[in-house]
Amino acid sequence: MSVQPLALSFVALCLTACASAQTHAGTMTMQCPAEVEGIFASIVGDWTLGVEADEGWSGYGSSNIAWDQNQKCGVVETSIMVFDPDGEDASENRSTAYLVYDELSETIKILTADNRGYVHIGIAVAKAPLAFEILKPDGELPNRRIQYRSVEAGAFEWSWQGRESQSDDWADRLVIKYQSAP
């Protein structure tokens, strides 16, 4: 038996295995229920941000939301914002958020973290508008939530909401208006 045909057979086998793995990996990146894919697709892009707080201050920033290539159905957002630029407590906020569809529970989960020490984990029903109730480590019922709302072509709002008790209505604490970046 010649070494050359054996080597060619081995190369062909390796190429077939690699092609199969790439095909499988390629199909996994976009296995997303149509409704969830539509929600994520509507927020993917480059954005300019306008910030309004219930305490009366405002801010500005920029954000990029992109498909997370490591998830079957998820997006990752990186943003930079300047809070209260004209006030004594002006600050820069850099944050990252991961939104991932969980097919087992049929929910969307969010994890956010920023340079000011805040970390939030939440769960939302997989339908628009997304309203993530922020989980509390002690098992108490949530009194904070993140909501993506008023989603339309080229614009949407992100809202940090709170309430004092479970019987109270949700109130906006911080609203970020997203506009498509030029």
Side-chain angles (χ1 to χ4, degrees):
M1 178 181 205
S2 166
V3 175
Q4 191 173 27
L6 182 59
L8 288 175
S9 295
F10 180 72
V11 169
L13 179 63
C14 288
L15 289 174
T16 302
C18 289
S20 175
Q22 286 178 340
T23 300
H24 180 66
T27 58
M28 284 184 62
T29 57
M30 289 307 290
Q31 290 177 353
C32 202
E35 183 176 12
V36 175
E37 186 174 348
I39 291 168
F40 285 166
S42 65
I43 63 172
V44 166
D46 290 315
W47 305 95
T48 58
L49 309 176
V51 181
E52 298 173 6
D54 67 338
E55 298 167 341
W57 56 265
S58 61
Y60 61 90
S62 63
S63 174
N64 172 268
I65 302 175
W67 288 102
D68 183 349
Q69 298 304 312
N70 297 316
Q71 298 292 331
K72 290 190 290 185
C73 184
V75 295
V76 62
E77 175 180 14
T78 54
S79 61
I80 299 172
M81 291 174 273
V82 175
F83 291 161
D84 197 16
D86 299 324
E88 291 179 20
D89 295 325
S91 64
E92 182 177 270
N93 182 51
R94 293 176 179 266
S95 65
T96 302
Y98 296 93
L99 287 80
V100 178
Y101 176 71
D102 176 4
E103 62 190 350
L104 294 176
S105 64
E106 297 182 343
T107 59
I108 298 173
K109 299 190 174 159
I110 190 170
L111 168 66
T112 66
D114 70 20
N115 64 313
R116 299 179 320 145
Y118 293 101
V119 175
H120 303 291
I121 299 170
I123 299 174
V125 176
K127 64 178 187 170
L130 294 178
F132 295 94
E133 291 197 354
I134 303 304
L135 304 178
K136 292 180 138 187
D138 56 10
E140 289 181 44
L141 292 173
N143 66 347
R144 300 283 184 256
R145 76 177 182 181
I146 296 169
Q147 187 177 43
Y148 291 75
R149 63 185 186 205
S150 305
V151 179
E152 54 189 54
F156 68 93
E157 288 183 352
W158 179 100
S159 173
W160 175 253
Q161 299 175 327
R163 62 183 179 185
E164 295 302 318
S165 72
Q166 296 299 313
S167 61
D168 291 341
D169 290 334
W170 292 103
D172 288 340
R173 303 285 190 239
L174 182 72
V175 175
I176 304 173
K177 295 182 180 186
Y178 287 65
Q179 295 289 320
S180 288

Short mmCIF file of all heavy atoms in Angstrom, two decimals, residues 111-170:
data_model
loop_
_atom_site.label_atom_id
_atom_site.label_comp_id
_atom_site.label_asym_id
_atom_site.label_seq_id
_atom_site.Cartn_x
_atom_site.Cartn_y
_atom_site.Cartn_z
N LEU A 111 -27.66 39.84 32.08
CA LEU A 111 -26.61 40.08 33.06
C LEU A 111 -25.97 41.40 32.67
O LEU A 111 -25.54 41.57 31.54
CB LEU A 111 -25.56 38.97 33.05
CG LEU A 111 -24.27 39.26 33.83
CD1 LEU A 111 -24.55 39.36 35.32
CD2 LEU A 111 -23.23 38.20 33.54
N THR A 112 -25.94 42.36 33.59
CA THR A 112 -25.29 43.64 33.33
C THR A 112 -24.25 43.89 34.42
O THR A 112 -24.43 43.50 35.57
CB THR A 112 -26.28 44.82 33.32
OG1 THR A 112 -26.82 44.99 34.64
CG2 THR A 112 -27.41 44.60 32.34
N ALA A 113 -23.17 44.53 34.02
CA ALA A 113 -22.13 44.94 34.97
C ALA A 113 -21.52 46.23 34.47
O ALA A 113 -21.44 46.46 33.26
CB ALA A 113 -21.06 43.85 35.08
N ASP A 114 -21.08 47.08 35.41
CA ASP A 114 -20.46 48.33 35.00
C ASP A 114 -19.26 48.66 35.88
O ASP A 114 -18.97 47.97 36.86
CB ASP A 114 -21.47 49.48 34.96
CG ASP A 114 -21.98 49.93 36.32
OD1 ASP A 114 -21.32 49.65 37.34
OD2 ASP A 114 -23.03 50.57 36.36
N ASN A 115 -18.57 49.72 35.50
CA ASN A 115 -17.35 50.13 36.19
C ASN A 115 -17.61 50.80 37.54
O ASN A 115 -16.68 51.12 38.26
CB ASN A 115 -16.52 51.08 35.30
CG ASN A 115 -17.24 52.38 35.01
OD1 ASN A 115 -18.42 52.38 34.64
ND2 ASN A 115 -16.55 53.49 35.15
N ARG A 116 -18.86 50.99 37.88
CA ARG A 116 -19.17 51.61 39.17
C ARG A 116 -19.54 50.57 40.23
O ARG A 116 -19.94 50.90 41.32
CB ARG A 116 -20.30 52.62 39.00
CG ARG A 116 -19.90 53.75 38.03
CD ARG A 116 -20.96 54.79 37.77
NE ARG A 116 -22.28 54.25 37.64
CZ ARG A 116 -23.40 54.86 38.07
NH1 ARG A 116 -23.32 56.05 38.63
NH2 ARG A 116 -24.58 54.31 37.91
N GLY A 117 -19.41 49.27 39.86
CA GLY A 117 -19.65 48.21 40.83
C GLY A 117 -21.03 47.58 40.79
O GLY A 117 -21.33 46.71 41.61
N TYR A 118 -21.87 48.00 39.87
CA TYR A 118 -23.21 47.45 39.80
C TYR A 118 -23.23 46.19 38.94
O TYR A 118 -22.67 46.16 37.85
CB TYR A 118 -24.19 48.47 39.22
CG TYR A 118 -24.41 49.65 40.13
CD1 TYR A 118 -23.76 50.86 39.89
CD2 TYR A 118 -25.24 49.56 41.23
CE1 TYR A 118 -23.95 51.95 40.71
CE2 TYR A 118 -25.43 50.64 42.08
CZ TYR A 118 -24.79 51.84 41.81
OH TYR A 118 -24.97 52.91 42.63
N VAL A 119 -23.91 45.16 39.43
CA VAL A 119 -24.14 43.92 38.69
C VAL A 119 -25.61 43.57 38.88
O VAL A 119 -26.11 43.60 40.01
CB VAL A 119 -23.25 42.78 39.21
CG1 VAL A 119 -23.60 41.47 38.51
CG2 VAL A 119 -21.78 43.11 39.04
N HIS A 120 -26.29 43.28 37.79
CA HIS A 120 -27.72 42.93 37.87
C HIS A 120 -27.97 41.69 37.04
O HIS A 120 -27.43 41.55 35.94
CB HIS A 120 -28.59 44.07 37.34
CG HIS A 120 -28.36 45.36 38.05
ND1 HIS A 120 -28.72 45.57 39.35
CD2 HIS A 120 -27.76 46.50 37.64
CE1 HIS A 120 -28.39 46.80 39.71
NE2 HIS A 120 -27.79 47.38 38.69
N ILE A 121 -28.82 40.82 37.55
CA ILE A 121 -29.24 39.62 36.84
C ILE A 121 -30.76 39.66 36.81
O ILE A 121 -31.40 39.89 37.84
CB ILE A 121 -28.76 38.35 37.55
CG1 ILE A 121 -27.23 38.32 37.61
CG2 ILE A 121 -29.30 37.10 36.85
CD1 ILE A 121 -26.66 37.24 38.49
N GLY A 122 -31.35 39.42 35.63
CA GLY A 122 -32.80 39.44 35.52
C GLY A 122 -33.32 38.43 34.52
O GLY A 122 -32.58 37.88 33.72
N ILE A 123 -34.62 38.22 34.60
CA ILE A 123 -35.30 37.27 33.71
C ILE A 123 -36.54 37.95 33.14
O ILE A 123 -37.27 38.62 33.87
CB ILE A 123 -35.72 36.00 34.47
CG1 ILE A 123 -34.48 35.30 35.04
CG2 ILE A 123 -36.51 35.06 33.58
CD1 ILE A 123 -34.80 34.11 35.93
N ALA A 124 -36.77 37.76 31.83
CA ALA A 124 -37.96 38.32 31.18
C ALA A 124 -38.66 37.24 30.37
O ALA A 124 -38.02 36.33 29.83
CB ALA A 124 -37.56 39.47 30.25
N VAL A 125 -39.97 37.38 30.26
CA VAL A 125 -40.72 36.55 29.33
C VAL A 125 -40.30 36.94 27.93
O VAL A 125 -40.06 38.12 27.66
CB VAL A 125 -42.24 36.77 29.53
CG1 VAL A 125 -43.05 35.99 28.51
CG2 VAL A 125 -42.65 36.39 30.95
N ALA A 126 -40.18 35.97 27.04
CA ALA A 126 -39.65 36.23 25.69
C ALA A 126 -40.70 36.85 24.78
O ALA A 126 -41.18 36.23 23.83
CB ALA A 126 -39.11 34.94 25.09
N LYS A 127 -41.09 38.09 25.09
CA LYS A 127 -42.00 38.85 24.23
C LYS A 127 -41.76 40.33 24.46
O LYS A 127 -41.25 40.74 25.50
CB LYS A 127 -43.46 38.49 24.50
CG LYS A 127 -43.95 38.86 25.88
CD LYS A 127 -45.41 38.51 26.05
CE LYS A 127 -45.88 39.06 27.40
NZ LYS A 127 -47.30 38.98 27.55
N ALA A 128 -42.10 41.13 23.48
CA ALA A 128 -41.89 42.58 23.58
C ALA A 128 -43.07 43.20 24.33
O ALA A 128 -44.20 42.74 24.18
CB ALA A 128 -41.77 43.18 22.18
N PRO A 129 -42.90 44.25 25.11
CA PRO A 129 -41.61 44.82 25.50
C PRO A 129 -40.95 43.92 26.54
O PRO A 129 -41.62 43.31 27.36
CB PRO A 129 -41.98 46.17 26.10
CG PRO A 129 -43.36 45.98 26.64
CD PRO A 129 -44.02 44.99 25.71
N LEU A 130 -39.63 43.85 26.50
CA LEU A 130 -38.88 43.04 27.47
C LEU A 130 -38.87 43.75 28.81
O LEU A 130 -38.51 44.91 28.89
CB LEU A 130 -37.44 42.85 27.00
CG LEU A 130 -37.23 42.02 25.74
CD1 LEU A 130 -35.75 41.96 25.39
CD2 LEU A 130 -37.78 40.62 25.92
N ALA A 131 -39.28 43.06 29.86
CA ALA A 131 -39.25 43.63 31.21
C ALA A 131 -38.55 42.62 32.10
O ALA A 131 -39.12 41.59 32.46
CB ALA A 131 -40.67 43.91 31.70
N PHE A 132 -37.30 42.90 32.44
CA PHE A 132 -36.48 42.00 33.25
C PHE A 132 -36.63 42.35 34.72
O PHE A 132 -36.19 43.42 35.14
CB PHE A 132 -35.00 42.13 32.87
CG PHE A 132 -34.68 41.69 31.48
CD1 PHE A 132 -34.67 42.61 30.44
CD2 PHE A 132 -34.40 40.37 31.21
CE1 PHE A 132 -34.37 42.21 29.15
CE2 PHE A 132 -34.10 39.95 29.93
CZ PHE A 132 -34.08 40.87 28.89
N GLU A 133 -37.25 41.48 35.49
CA GLU A 133 -37.31 41.69 36.93
C GLU A 133 -35.96 41.29 37.50
O GLU A 133 -35.46 40.20 37.25
CB GLU A 133 -38.46 40.92 37.55
CG GLU A 133 -39.79 41.50 37.12
CD GLU A 133 -40.95 41.07 37.99
OE1 GLU A 133 -40.76 40.23 38.88
OE2 GLU A 133 -42.05 41.59 37.77
N ILE A 134 -35.34 42.20 38.26
CA ILE A 134 -34.01 41.98 38.79
C ILE A 134 -34.10 41.07 40.01
O ILE A 134 -34.82 41.36 40.96
CB ILE A 134 -33.33 43.32 39.14
CG1 ILE A 134 -33.30 44.23 37.90
CG2 ILE A 134 -31.94 43.10 39.70
CD1 ILE A 134 -32.62 43.63 36.69
N LEU A 135 -33.36 39.98 39.95
CA LEU A 135 -33.39 38.99 41.02
C LEU A 135 -32.64 39.49 42.24
O LEU A 135 -31.63 40.17 42.13
CB LEU A 135 -32.77 37.68 40.53
CG LEU A 135 -33.40 37.09 39.27
CD1 LEU A 135 -32.66 35.83 38.87
CD2 LEU A 135 -34.88 36.80 39.49
N LYS A 136 -33.15 39.14 43.40
CA LYS A 136 -32.50 39.49 44.66
C LYS A 136 -31.91 38.22 45.25
O LYS A 136 -32.56 37.18 45.28
CB LYS A 136 -33.51 40.10 45.63
CG LYS A 136 -34.04 41.45 45.19
CD LYS A 136 -35.02 41.95 46.21
CE LYS A 136 -34.79 43.41 46.46
NZ LYS A 136 -35.62 43.91 47.55
N PRO A 137 -30.68 38.30 45.75
CA PRO A 137 -30.03 37.09 46.26
C PRO A 137 -30.71 36.49 47.49
O PRO A 137 -30.61 35.31 47.74
CB PRO A 137 -28.61 37.55 46.60
CG PRO A 137 -28.65 39.03 46.63
CD PRO A 137 -29.83 39.46 45.82
N ASP A 138 -31.45 37.29 48.23
CA ASP A 138 -32.07 36.78 49.45
C ASP A 138 -33.45 36.16 49.22
O ASP A 138 -34.11 35.76 50.17
CB ASP A 138 -32.17 37.90 50.49
CG ASP A 138 -32.92 39.11 49.97
OD1 ASP A 138 -33.54 39.03 48.89
OD2 ASP A 138 -32.89 40.15 50.64
N GLY A 139 -33.89 36.09 47.98
CA GLY A 139 -35.17 35.46 47.67
C GLY A 139 -36.37 36.39 47.77
O GLY A 139 -37.49 35.98 47.50
N GLU A 140 -36.15 37.65 48.15
CA GLU A 140 -37.26 38.60 48.20
C GLU A 140 -37.80 38.84 46.79
O GLU A 140 -37.08 38.69 45.81
CB GLU A 140 -36.80 39.94 48.77
CG GLU A 140 -36.50 39.93 50.23
CD GLU A 140 -36.08 41.32 50.69
OE1 GLU A 140 -36.72 42.31 50.30
OE2 GLU A 140 -35.08 41.39 51.42
N LEU A 141 -39.05 39.27 46.72
CA LEU A 141 -39.62 39.61 45.43
C LEU A 141 -38.93 40.84 44.85
O LEU A 141 -38.56 41.75 45.60
CB LEU A 141 -41.12 39.85 45.56
CG LEU A 141 -41.95 38.62 45.91
CD1 LEU A 141 -43.39 39.03 46.17
CD2 LEU A 141 -41.89 37.58 44.80
N PRO A 142 -38.75 40.89 43.53
CA PRO A 142 -38.04 42.02 42.91
C PRO A 142 -38.75 43.35 43.13
O PRO A 142 -39.97 43.43 43.10
CB PRO A 142 -38.04 41.67 41.42
CG PRO A 142 -38.33 40.22 41.36
CD PRO A 142 -39.15 39.89 42.56
N ASN A 143 -37.96 44.41 43.37
CA ASN A 143 -38.50 45.76 43.44
C ASN A 143 -37.82 46.67 42.41
O ASN A 143 -37.99 47.87 42.43
CB ASN A 143 -38.38 46.34 44.84
CG ASN A 143 -36.94 46.55 45.26
OD1 ASN A 143 -36.01 46.07 44.62
ND2 ASN A 143 -36.75 47.28 46.35
N ARG A 144 -37.02 46.08 41.51
CA ARG A 144 -36.36 46.79 40.42
C ARG A 144 -36.52 45.98 39.15
O ARG A 144 -36.58 44.76 39.18
CB ARG A 144 -34.86 46.98 40.69
CG ARG A 144 -34.53 47.76 41.93
CD ARG A 144 -34.75 49.25 41.68
NE ARG A 144 -34.36 50.05 42.83
CZ ARG A 144 -35.23 50.60 43.68
NH1 ARG A 144 -36.51 50.42 43.53
NH2 ARG A 144 -34.80 51.35 44.67
N ARG A 145 -36.57 46.69 38.03
CA ARG A 145 -36.59 45.98 36.75
C ARG A 145 -35.99 46.85 35.66
O ARG A 145 -35.91 48.07 35.79
CB ARG A 145 -37.98 45.49 36.37
CG ARG A 145 -38.93 46.54 35.86
CD ARG A 145 -40.25 45.92 35.46
NE ARG A 145 -41.14 46.92 34.91
CZ ARG A 145 -42.36 46.68 34.49
NH1 ARG A 145 -42.87 45.47 34.55
NH2 ARG A 145 -43.10 47.65 33.98
N ILE A 146 -35.55 46.19 34.61
CA ILE A 146 -35.05 46.82 33.39
C ILE A 146 -36.06 46.54 32.30
O ILE A 146 -36.49 45.39 32.14
CB ILE A 146 -33.67 46.23 33.00
CG1 ILE A 146 -32.62 46.54 34.07
CG2 ILE A 146 -33.24 46.75 31.62
CD1 ILE A 146 -31.31 45.78 33.88
N GLN A 147 -36.44 47.57 31.56
CA GLN A 147 -37.42 47.38 30.49
C GLN A 147 -36.90 47.98 29.18
O GLN A 147 -36.41 49.11 29.17
CB GLN A 147 -38.75 48.01 30.87
CG GLN A 147 -39.85 47.70 29.87
CD GLN A 147 -41.19 48.27 30.28
OE1 GLN A 147 -41.29 49.41 30.72
NE2 GLN A 147 -42.23 47.47 30.14
N TYR A 148 -36.99 47.20 28.11
CA TYR A 148 -36.74 47.67 26.74
C TYR A 148 -38.12 47.90 26.15
O TYR A 148 -38.92 46.97 26.06
CB TYR A 148 -35.99 46.62 25.92
CG TYR A 148 -34.56 46.40 26.34
CD1 TYR A 148 -34.24 45.70 27.50
CD2 TYR A 148 -33.52 46.89 25.56
CE1 TYR A 148 -32.92 45.50 27.87
CE2 TYR A 148 -32.19 46.69 25.93
CZ TYR A 148 -31.91 45.99 27.08
OH TYR A 148 -30.60 45.78 27.44
N ARG A 149 -38.41 49.13 25.73
CA ARG A 149 -39.76 49.46 25.28
C ARG A 149 -39.73 50.44 24.12
O ARG A 149 -38.68 50.99 23.77
CB ARG A 149 -40.56 50.05 26.44
CG ARG A 149 -39.98 51.35 26.94
CD ARG A 149 -40.70 51.85 28.16
NE ARG A 149 -40.22 53.16 28.54
CZ ARG A 149 -40.28 53.66 29.73
NH1 ARG A 149 -40.83 52.95 30.70
NH2 ARG A 149 -39.82 54.86 29.99
N SER A 150 -40.92 50.68 23.55
CA SER A 150 -41.09 51.62 22.43
C SER A 150 -40.09 51.32 21.30
O SER A 150 -39.52 52.24 20.72
CB SER A 150 -40.94 53.07 22.89
OG SER A 150 -41.84 53.35 23.95
N VAL A 151 -39.90 50.03 21.03
CA VAL A 151 -38.94 49.63 20.01
C VAL A 151 -39.55 49.84 18.63
O VAL A 151 -40.63 49.33 18.33
CB VAL A 151 -38.52 48.14 20.18
CG1 VAL A 151 -37.54 47.72 19.10
CG2 VAL A 151 -37.93 47.93 21.58
N GLU A 152 -38.87 50.64 17.82
CA GLU A 152 -39.29 50.89 16.44
C GLU A 152 -38.03 51.04 15.60
O GLU A 152 -36.92 51.05 16.14
CB GLU A 152 -40.17 52.14 16.36
CG GLU A 152 -39.51 53.36 16.96
CD GLU A 152 -40.46 54.54 17.07
OE1 GLU A 152 -41.54 54.37 17.65
OE2 GLU A 152 -40.10 55.61 16.55
N ALA A 153 -38.19 51.16 14.31
CA ALA A 153 -37.02 51.28 13.43
C ALA A 153 -36.18 52.49 13.84
O ALA A 153 -36.66 53.62 13.84
CB ALA A 153 -37.46 51.41 11.98
N GLY A 154 -34.94 52.24 14.24
CA GLY A 154 -34.01 53.32 14.55
C GLY A 154 -34.12 53.94 15.92
O GLY A 154 -33.43 54.92 16.19
N ALA A 155 -34.96 53.39 16.81
CA ALA A 155 -35.08 54.00 18.14
C ALA A 155 -35.76 53.04 19.12
O ALA A 155 -36.58 52.21 18.73
CB ALA A 155 -35.89 55.29 18.08
N PHE A 156 -35.39 53.16 20.39
CA PHE A 156 -36.10 52.48 21.47
C PHE A 156 -35.69 53.10 22.79
O PHE A 156 -34.81 53.97 22.84
CB PHE A 156 -35.86 50.96 21.46
CG PHE A 156 -34.46 50.51 21.80
CD1 PHE A 156 -34.12 50.19 23.10
CD2 PHE A 156 -33.50 50.38 20.82
CE1 PHE A 156 -32.83 49.77 23.42
CE2 PHE A 156 -32.21 49.95 21.12
CZ PHE A 156 -31.88 49.64 22.43
N GLU A 157 -36.35 52.70 23.86
CA GLU A 157 -36.02 53.19 25.20
C GLU A 157 -35.62 52.03 26.10
O GLU A 157 -36.17 50.94 26.01
CB GLU A 157 -37.22 53.90 25.83
CG GLU A 157 -37.53 55.23 25.23
CD GLU A 157 -38.70 55.92 25.94
OE1 GLU A 157 -39.37 55.32 26.79
OE2 GLU A 157 -38.92 57.09 25.61
N TRP A 158 -34.68 52.32 27.00
CA TRP A 158 -34.27 51.41 28.07
C TRP A 158 -34.64 52.13 29.35
O TRP A 158 -34.32 53.30 29.52
CB TRP A 158 -32.77 51.20 27.97
CG TRP A 158 -32.14 50.31 29.00
CD1 TRP A 158 -31.79 49.00 28.83
CD2 TRP A 158 -31.72 50.66 30.33
NE1 TRP A 158 -31.19 48.51 29.97
CE2 TRP A 158 -31.13 49.52 30.92
CE3 TRP A 158 -31.78 51.82 31.09
CZ2 TRP A 158 -30.63 49.51 32.21
CZ3 TRP A 158 -31.28 51.82 32.39
CH2 TRP A 158 -30.71 50.66 32.93
N SER A 159 -35.29 51.43 30.25
CA SER A 159 -35.74 52.07 31.49
C SER A 159 -35.33 51.23 32.70
O SER A 159 -35.54 50.01 32.70
CB SER A 159 -37.26 52.23 31.46
OG SER A 159 -37.74 52.70 32.69
N TRP A 160 -34.75 51.89 33.70
CA TRP A 160 -34.49 51.29 35.00
C TRP A 160 -35.65 51.73 35.87
O TRP A 160 -35.88 52.92 36.07
CB TRP A 160 -33.16 51.79 35.55
CG TRP A 160 -32.85 51.32 36.94
CD1 TRP A 160 -32.88 52.07 38.07
CD2 TRP A 160 -32.46 50.01 37.34
NE1 TRP A 160 -32.53 51.31 39.15
CE2 TRP A 160 -32.27 50.03 38.73
CE3 TRP A 160 -32.28 48.81 36.66
CZ2 TRP A 160 -31.90 48.89 39.45
CZ3 TRP A 160 -31.89 47.70 37.39
CH2 TRP A 160 -31.70 47.74 38.76
N GLN A 161 -36.44 50.76 36.35
CA GLN A 161 -37.64 51.09 37.09
C GLN A 161 -37.59 50.52 38.50
O GLN A 161 -36.91 49.53 38.76
CB GLN A 161 -38.87 50.50 36.38
CG GLN A 161 -39.05 51.06 34.98
CD GLN A 161 -40.19 50.39 34.23
OE1 GLN A 161 -40.46 49.21 34.42
NE2 GLN A 161 -40.84 51.16 33.37
N GLY A 162 -38.32 51.16 39.40
CA GLY A 162 -38.38 50.69 40.77
C GLY A 162 -39.76 50.88 41.34
O GLY A 162 -40.61 51.53 40.75
N ARG A 163 -39.97 50.25 42.50
CA ARG A 163 -41.21 50.43 43.26
C ARG A 163 -40.91 50.10 44.71
O ARG A 163 -40.03 49.30 45.02
CB ARG A 163 -42.33 49.58 42.69
CG ARG A 163 -42.09 48.09 42.74
CD ARG A 163 -43.22 47.35 42.08
NE ARG A 163 -42.97 45.91 42.10
CZ ARG A 163 -43.74 45.04 41.52
NH1 ARG A 163 -44.81 45.44 40.84
NH2 ARG A 163 -43.48 43.75 41.58
N GLU A 164 -41.64 50.77 45.61
CA GLU A 164 -41.40 50.58 47.04
C GLU A 164 -41.95 49.25 47.54
O GLU A 164 -41.32 48.57 48.33
CB GLU A 164 -42.01 51.73 47.83
CG GLU A 164 -41.34 53.08 47.54
CD GLU A 164 -39.85 53.07 47.83
OE1 GLU A 164 -39.42 52.52 48.86
OE2 GLU A 164 -39.09 53.61 47.00
N SER A 165 -43.15 48.88 47.09
CA SER A 165 -43.74 47.61 47.52
C SER A 165 -44.36 46.91 46.31
O SER A 165 -44.52 47.50 45.25
CB SER A 165 -44.80 47.86 48.60
OG SER A 165 -45.95 48.45 48.01
N GLN A 166 -44.70 45.66 46.49
CA GLN A 166 -45.26 44.86 45.40
C GLN A 166 -46.60 45.40 44.91
O GLN A 166 -46.98 45.16 43.78
CB GLN A 166 -45.41 43.39 45.84
CG GLN A 166 -44.10 42.71 46.15
CD GLN A 166 -43.17 42.69 44.95
OE1 GLN A 166 -43.57 42.35 43.86
NE2 GLN A 166 -41.92 43.07 45.17
N SER A 167 -47.28 46.16 45.73
CA SER A 167 -48.59 46.71 45.31
C SER A 167 -48.44 48.02 44.54
O SER A 167 -49.39 48.50 43.93
CB SER A 167 -49.49 46.90 46.53
OG SER A 167 -48.90 47.81 47.44
N ASP A 168 -47.26 48.63 44.57
CA ASP A 168 -47.03 49.89 43.86
C ASP A 168 -46.81 49.65 42.38
O ASP A 168 -46.36 48.59 41.95
CB ASP A 168 -45.78 50.60 44.42
CG ASP A 168 -45.98 51.13 45.83
OD1 ASP A 168 -47.14 51.28 46.26
OD2 ASP A 168 -44.96 51.35 46.51
N ASP A 169 -47.12 50.68 41.58
CA ASP A 169 -46.83 50.64 40.15
C ASP A 169 -45.33 50.86 39.95
O ASP A 169 -44.67 51.51 40.76
CB ASP A 169 -47.60 51.75 39.40
CG ASP A 169 -49.10 51.47 39.36
OD1 ASP A 169 -49.50 50.29 39.43
OD2 ASP A 169 -49.87 52.44 39.26
N TRP A 170 -44.81 50.36 38.83
CA TRP A 170 -43.42 50.59 38.47
C TRP A 170 -43.24 52.06 38.08
O TRP A 170 -44.07 52.62 37.38
CB TRP A 170 -42.99 49.72 37.30
CG TRP A 170 -42.93 48.25 37.64
CD1 TRP A 170 -43.84 47.30 37.30
CD2 TRP A 170 -41.90 47.59 38.37
NE1 TRP A 170 -43.44 46.07 37.77
CE2 TRP A 170 -42.25 46.22 38.43
CE3 TRP A 170 -40.73 48.00 38.97
CZ2 TRP A 170 -41.45 45.27 39.08
CZ3 TRP A 170 -39.94 47.06 39.61
CH2 TRP A 170 -40.30 45.71 39.66
#
